[in-house]
């Protein structure tokens, strides 16, 4: 899981990004302004890349996901 509060990808700002292995997706948990409640959820890349092991953010605000599929693992940069 990664907390995202950068302007690089505006739709992810003030969200928790959760990598889901079994569900094979990236999940966004949008937070309220006080960062104490989840106000919405949205799924991305469902069954697109297979098992998503982790998500991280670069200092510039780019988001990367890493897959865990055995012999076909990838690191994917999320576009704006």
């Amino acid at each position: 899981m990664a907390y995202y509060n950068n302007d690089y990808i505006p739709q992810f700002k003030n969200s928790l990004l959760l990598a889901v292995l079994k569900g094979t997706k990236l999940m966004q948990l949008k937070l309220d302004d006080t960062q104490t409640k989840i106000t919405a959820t949205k799924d991305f890349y469902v069954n697109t890349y297979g098992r998503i092991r982790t998500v991280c953010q670069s200092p510039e605000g780019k988001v990367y996901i890493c897959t865990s599929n055995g012999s076909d693992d990838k690191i994917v940069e999320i576009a704006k």
Side-chain angles (χ1 to χ4, degrees):
M1 183 179 342
Y3 173 66
Y4 192 87
N5 198 29
N6 195 292
D7 293 324
Y8 187 79
I9 306 176
Q11 72 184 35
F12 285 166
K13 188 164 180 147
N14 197 35
S15 295
L16 296 173
L17 301 176
L18 178 64
V20 184
L21 275 170
K22 186 174 181 182
T24 65
K25 63 185 174 184
L26 176 68
M27 181 180 252
Q28 176 190 19
L29 307 173
K30 185 73 176 162
L31 300 173
D32 67 1
D33 291 336
T34 62
Q35 301 172 341
T36 59
K37 295 179 187 168
I38 296 170
T39 59
T41 63
K42 187 169 182 180
D43 295 340
F44 295 90
Y45 310 111
V46 179
N47 297 322
T48 302
Y49 297 110
R51 296 163 32 101
I52 299 176
R53 172 146 316 265
T54 192
V55 59
C56 66
Q57 175 187 335
S58 75
E60 298 86 18
K62 295 179 180 181
V63 174
Y64 297 90
I65 57 174
C66 178
T67 65
S68 182
N69 297 311
S71 63
D72 189 30
D73 293 336
K74 294 177 174 64
I75 296 174
V76 180
E77 181 180 326
I78 305 300
K80 293 183 188 184

